[in-house]
Amino acid sequence: MKFSGSHILSISQFDRSDIERVFEVADRMAPYAHRQRVTKVLDGAILGNMFFEPSTRTRVSFGCAFNLLGGEVRETTGFETSAIAKGESLYDTARVLSGYSDVIVMRHPVSGSVAEFAAASRVPVMNGGDGANEHPSQALLDLYTIRKELQHQGRSDLDGLRIAMIGDLKYGRTVHSLCKLLCLYRNVTVVLIAPTELQMPPAIVEQLRSAGHTVLESDVMEGSISKVDIAYSTRIQEERFADRAEADLYRGRYRLNQAIYTRNCEPNTVIMHPLPRDSRSEANELDNDLNDNPNLAIFRQADNGVLVRMALFALILDVVEQVDKNARDVNWYTERRF
Ligand code: ASP
């Protein structure tokens, strides 16, 4: 794909060489994300960060990625403080805000709304999550993390990957995008573990099968995670249910803790989660007793988000080859923390 000036709305836009390109640029962002070098390549550029649903990591890491490239961030959060609450259409909002920014990241509760917004925008728009539909930058950082974790184990290939996805696969947009991304690879085994009512949408299962992948569906976790490289847990997406009581029917159904991990998983199985993990006692999908497990990759995953989002900005705004020019070492105290 041509990155420069493009919207990033869905994983379906990418082919395998595009993914390689994103990952290669993400690797090159490490000295900046890891606070060893400073670049001002986007000095003067403005990111419009528009989040109409709760977010911590996605919003802050997109903003942080833009700042690390030298750009400035303007944020709009929540409907109440935006003119959308006065009845303004996405079309009008996009026409106006694309005059104030060089690139926009948007999260919105309605599937397809970010694409609708992008159609009216005069600058590139990135989908930071549209309802239960997609979360493309999360899938990219998830696969980047999987690749890194496997490399750490001495494996260089994503083909042949075995992954279990656990939890709310019906409404979880991160797993929707990740499945689409895995369709670009070969011979993947995907174990889908969810309550029957919250299984992966059939169209996505069909896409996986058409890509030649092995898809196994189950509503039981123990026994289903015994032969996987990756156990990818997800949160029950309460905000997509009619009410809390309906979400309560499923909350806490799948809880992974150290004892269950030891009993069921291979010693190298990597534990992932897009976060936030729901740590309330009635949910507790990933127990705190996993925090010292070296295969718990959830915080490395969040760190990797900055690298991948920097890469997307650098590619879309066409500055990849300029990033290292005029860069310098940091001149403040930094703890080695990556
Ligand atoms: N942060 C992810 C998302 O926005 C996962 C989640 O909220 O459960 O989709």
Side-chain angles (χ1 to χ4, degrees):
M1 70 183 265
K2 181 179 146 291
F3 282 101
S4 150
S6 290
H7 303 304
I8 304 288
L9 301 174
S10 165
I11 281 298
S12 313
Q13 292 171 245
F14 294 84
D15 67 20
R16 198 160 159 165
S17 66
D18 301 326
I19 303 300
E20 286 312 311
R21 177 73 174 139
V22 173
F23 290 177
E24 174 223 325
V25 177
D27 286 343
R28 287 164 62 178
M29 297 300 139
Y32 305 100
H34 297 169
R35 312 295 200 277
Q36 293 151 355
R37 305 270 293 158
V38 180
T39 177
K40 288 282 172 208
V41 72
L42 290 185
D43 188 19
I46 295 176
L47 163 67
N49 220 12
M50 303 177 58
F51 278 73
F52 297 115
E53 262 194 345
S55 172
T56 304
R57 259 152 305 276
T58 307
R59 178 173 57 82
V60 178
S61 75
F62 264 119
C64 182
F66 206 74
N67 288 149
L68 286 165
L69 290 167
E72 293 203 21
V73 183
R74 294 275 173 273
E75 286 204 340
T76 307
T77 51
F79 286 115
E80 322 75 51
T81 53
S82 135
I84 292 182
K86 298 182 182 174
E88 186 169 61
S89 67
L90 281 174
Y91 178 89
D92 286 4
T93 311
R95 290 297 304 224
V96 172
L97 290 180
S98 55
Y100 300 163
S101 331
D102 297 281
V103 56
I104 291 173
V105 176
M106 187 181 190
R107 169 172 289 186
H108 194 284
V110 179
S111 293
S113 54
V114 181
E116 185 187 334
F117 180 92
S121 169
R122 294 172 280 166
V123 297
V125 174
M126 282 201 240
N127 183 357
D130 61 325
N133 183 34
E134 278 221 43
H135 195 340
S137 65
Q138 178 73 43
L140 291 169
L141 77 89
D142 287 342
L143 195 67
Y144 182 75
T145 302
I146 292 170
R147 192 187 70 145
K148 267 195 170 173
E149 296 291 321
L150 294 185
Q151 277 171 351
H152 194 65
Q153 294 177 12
R155 288 178 50 184
S156 58
D157 212 351
L158 287 167
D159 294 323
L161 180 77
R162 302 166 305 163
I163 180 168
M165 299 181 189
I166 307 153
D168 183 351
L169 308 184
K170 178 178 181 186
Y171 295 119
R173 55 192 169 201
T174 72
V175 284
H176 299 168
S177 290
L178 185 55
C179 283
K180 291 181 187 175
L181 187 47
L182 291 173
C183 288
L184 298 176
Y185 294 81
R186 279 193 298 272
N187 191 27
V188 176
T189 300
V190 188
V191 187
L192 301 171
I193 303 161
T196 316
E197 302 83 347
L198 301 184
Q199 259 298 355
M200 186 66 77
I204 299 181
V205 174
E206 187 42 44
Q207 249 179 291
L208 287 166
R209 293 211 164 104
S210 303
H213 297 337
T214 305
V215 183
L216 307 166
E217 291 180 89
S218 173
D219 60 358
V220 183
M221 186 177 74
E222 285 208 53
S224 306
I225 50 172
S226 55
K227 288 196 180 71
V228 293
D229 306 303
I230 309 289
Y232 187 107
S233 169
T234 65
R235 178 181 68 89
I236 297 298
Q237 306 284 295
E238 183 176 336
E239 60 276 36
R240 313 263 175 252
F241 288 85
D243 52 33
R244 194 190 155 108
E246 195 190 346
D248 283 342
L249 297 174
Y250 308 107
R251 215 192 305 274
R253 184 81 65 94
Y254 306 112
R255 298 160 184 259
L256 187 58
N257 61 24
Q258 188 55 50
I260 296 172
Y261 179 89
T262 309
R263 221 171 28 243
N264 287 274
C265 295
E266 292 175 352
N268 279 339
T269 298
V270 175
I271 305 162
M272 294 177 61
H273 192 299
L275 299 179
R277 58 175 156 170
D278 187 343
S279 293
R280 289 171 291 192
S281 57
E282 64 273 27
N284 206 28
E285 56 234 6
L286 285 184
D287 197 283
N288 281 333
D289 75 354
L290 290 163
N291 287 358
D292 293 328
N293 183 324
N295 294 316
L296 184 78
I298 58 176
F299 300 116
R300 294 192 285 278
Q301 207 178 336
D303 284 345
N304 288 336
V306 174
L307 298 173
V308 169
R309 291 176 173 130
M310 287 178 80
L312 291 174
F313 285 131
L315 285 160
I316 286 167
L317 297 176
D318 204 10
V319 293
V320 172
E321 298 314 323
Q322 299 170 53
V323 170
D324 296 334
K325 289 186 189 146
N326 303 316
R328 62 166 174 80
D329 289 344
V330 301
N331 55 356
W332 58 85
Y333 169 79
T334 57
E335 192 79 54
R336 192 177 151 72
R337 61 193 188 277
F338 296 99

